[in-house]
Amino acid sequence: MLFSVADDLRMRILFFTDHFKPEPTAAASHISERCALWAKWGHEVTAICAAPNFPEGKVMAGYRNAWRSVQMDNGVRVVRVKTFIHPNEGFFLRSLDYLSYAISAACFSLLEPRPDVVISSSPHLFVGVAGFVYSKLRRLPHVLEVRDLWPASITATRAMKPGLAIRALEKLESMLYRQATRVIALSPSFVGHMCSRGARRDSVDVVINGANLDLFRPKPRNEALRMELGLTGCFVVGYLGTMGLAHGLENAIDAMGCLKGKAIKLLFVGPGPAKRALAARAKELGLENVVFVPPQLRENMPEYWSLCDASLIHLRNSEVFESVVPSKIFESMAMGLPVIYVGPRGEGAAIVQKCGCGVVVPPADPGALASAIEKLAGAATECRFLAENSLKSAPQFSRERQAEKSLESLEKASARRLHE
């Protein structure tokens, strides 16, 4: 494992990312942790991001939406630029938010010292636009990281209908793939789609996500918190993370309707555009076995994982999501929890089955989900077996491994430039 580099191998990395800590999202934490590891290993890392505001669309306490502010965080130079801030809802205003980031980031990045390589991370394509524009102006290699397939996932969640806007986004997607020096795909199934849209196969690196094993690891159950949330004496299934349109969590609410009167509860912890509708649905059905907790700081999440007997990973029933590998799988593994994976059979389901760490349930079938939860709740031996497999599998998907693999992609891009 890399822990330091010689001066002649040290890279100056400029990372374009709309999201960064302390935002309570997977992208923010994963990118922040990776940048910190690169800095720890001796590289000079600068992240160009917005003021933390996602997903509520309100700047977090202690920050402001200034034209430009600079701070150091775990060895990473964090440059925050002014953007149009709006909650994660509504296509037009949210698009202005994305576009404003691209413009501000591309402009203010010109004030930064010249790096060796540029990386930008989706899901939204305008982050890639900022990285592309800067790399062209500075004549630098650009690595495009694809966390989610845009705009395919937009139509899959029905956030937009196919039409002129989607076709324009598809053209932008193809241009970014063609122009990138290298492309990082967070799922093997992304590769075929990306190549069909213009990416060169020999320029694509697959780097599956991971978890911070220093933060996420088994710990004693927080009984006081369990009692405070009314979970004592129950089998607790936890969904910890963003409740987005892609997750189809109304299916989980309906499944809990089938489990009324059982000593089973579903714990939601986190933010998301679907949260309000989910809470309304639970209230409408008179469900007292569904508990919602506000978003928590990243470092506090293990306390909430400790309350759970199993984790719920949930995706909407769409072919697009066959290629997705939800990062919550790896946090669940690291905490030593059985996984209940609900979604179309694909990459995520394959990992759960290969590692033997959970059960796979078809999407959009609340009865099947309720049956799977009830079965696990009554099978202590099977739960222990799945939990042990989770814990054994976790080191395959560490944040260090992800940081090393993505760094290799940056090194390839930088080396290509030196040989051109």
Side-chain angles (χ1 to χ4, degrees):
M1 183 176 292
L2 300 171
F3 289 103
S4 62
V5 291
D7 287 344
D8 58 341
L9 296 178
R10 181 177 298 160
M11 284 196 299
R12 294 182 299 278
I13 303 167
L14 186 62
F15 204 135
F16 286 86
T17 169
D18 202 348
H19 307 299
F20 205 79
K21 64 181 293 193
E23 287 184 333
T25 64
S29 56
H30 298 169
I31 291 171
S32 305
E33 290 168 0
R34 209 173 350 147
C35 286
L37 283 169
W38 291 342
K40 179 181 177 182
W41 296 340
H43 303 283
E44 296 179 21
V45 186
T46 298
I48 307 285
C49 56
N53 70 88
F54 188 87
E56 287 84 2
K58 296 180 181 178
V59 177
M60 296 177 69
Y63 295 85
R64 59 194 181 93
N65 190 23
W67 282 110
R68 179 176 179 269
S69 63
V70 181
Q71 66 180 119
M72 294 299 295
D73 188 303
N74 286 327
V76 180
R77 178 181 167 87
V78 181
V79 180
R80 299 188 185 274
V81 298
K82 191 178 186 67
T83 62
F84 172 77
I85 291 177
H86 188 266
N88 187 29
E89 54 190 34
F91 169 72
F92 179 71
L93 292 178
R94 193 64 187 150
S95 295
L96 287 181
D97 186 332
Y98 297 158
L99 186 58
S100 71
Y101 168 80
I103 295 170
S104 286
C107 290
F108 284 106
S109 61
L110 296 173
L111 301 178
E112 298 304 311
R114 183 183 176 89
D116 297 308
V117 65
V118 177
I119 175 172
S120 57
S121 184
S122 68
H124 77 73
L125 294 174
F126 296 105
V127 177
V129 170
F132 163 73
V133 170
Y134 177 83
S135 69
K136 288 301 180 185
L137 291 174
R138 293 297 198 202
R139 301 183 68 182
L140 293 166
H142 175 217
V143 177
L144 175 67
E145 178 179 80
V146 180
R147 305 181 62 84
D148 197 3
L149 292 177
W150 256 53
S153 60
I154 301 177
T155 54
T157 59
R158 305 184 188 96
M160 285 178 63
K161 295 179 180 179
L164 184 61
I166 290 294
R167 289 196 295 274
L169 288 175
E170 287 173 345
K171 288 184 180 297
L172 180 60
E173 175 193 26
S174 293
M175 183 276 291
L176 290 173
Y177 291 156
R178 288 195 307 270
Q179 294 294 325
T181 310
R182 299 201 71 79
V183 182
I184 295 175
L186 265 63
S187 167
S189 292
F190 285 0
V191 178
H193 171 90
M194 290 157 57
C195 291
S196 72
R197 292 293 174 87
R200 305 178 309 280
R201 181 61 188 91
D202 62 357
S203 73
V204 179
D205 300 307
V206 177
V207 181
I208 296 176
N209 222 324
N212 181 344
L213 301 189
D214 292 328
L215 178 62
F216 296 99
R217 54 187 176 181
K219 62 180 303 172
R221 179 164 287 167
N222 188 328
E223 294 294 353
L225 184 57
R226 194 174 169 93
M227 183 178 295
E228 178 187 330
L229 296 176
L231 304 176
T232 303
C234 295
F235 183 87
V236 179
V237 178
Y239 180 93
L240 278 62
T242 302
M243 294 163 237
L245 301 178
H247 300 121
L249 286 163
E250 59 277 359
N251 177 71
I253 298 293
D254 291 343
M256 295 308 295
C258 302
L259 296 171
K260 277 186 177 181
K262 309 285 185 181
I264 298 170
K265 291 197 175 182
L266 176 58
L267 173 66
F268 284 109
V269 183
K275 185 174 184 177
R276 187 181 303 172
L278 293 172
R281 177 69 175 160
K283 184 177 181 180
E284 177 189 337
L285 296 176
L287 301 182
E288 296 182 359
N289 55 359
V290 180
V291 178
F292 289 91
V293 173
Q296 302 295 313
L297 293 174
R298 174 80 165 166
E299 54 266 31
N300 293 339
M301 293 301 279
E303 293 294 332
Y304 289 87
W305 278 120
S306 81
L307 309 178
C308 303
D309 298 289
S311 73
L312 176 65
I313 314 297
H314 207 294
L315 288 172
R316 188 175 292 280
N317 187 20
S318 170
E319 287 185 9
V320 171
F321 299 125
E322 292 177 4
S323 63
V324 171
V325 182
S327 60
K328 285 185 284 291
I329 293 176
F330 309 122
E331 293 179 5
S332 302
M333 287 180 177
M335 294 299 301
L337 289 171
V339 174
I340 302 171
Y341 187 94
V342 182
R345 289 190 177 266
E347 295 292 342
I351 289 174
V352 172
Q353 291 176 320
K354 181 179 179 181
C355 295
C357 62
V359 296
V360 176
V361 182
D365 188 341
L369 176 54
S371 177
I373 293 173
E374 189 171 16
K375 182 180 178 182
L376 273 183
T381 301
E382 183 180 358
C383 276
R384 281 196 297 272
F385 174 74
L386 297 175
E388 288 169 2
N389 286 345
S390 271
L391 206 53
K392 283 193 298 186
S393 302
Q396 301 176 48
F397 307 101
S398 68
R399 181 72 66 236
E400 285 84 356
R401 179 206 55 80
Q402 186 197 15
E404 286 180 358
K405 293 297 183 184
S406 50
L407 188 63
E408 288 175 9
S409 188
L410 299 184
E411 289 170 342
K412 290 176 187 175
S414 184
R416 174 180 165 179
R417 169 175 169 258
L418 291 174
H419 287 96
E420 286 179 346

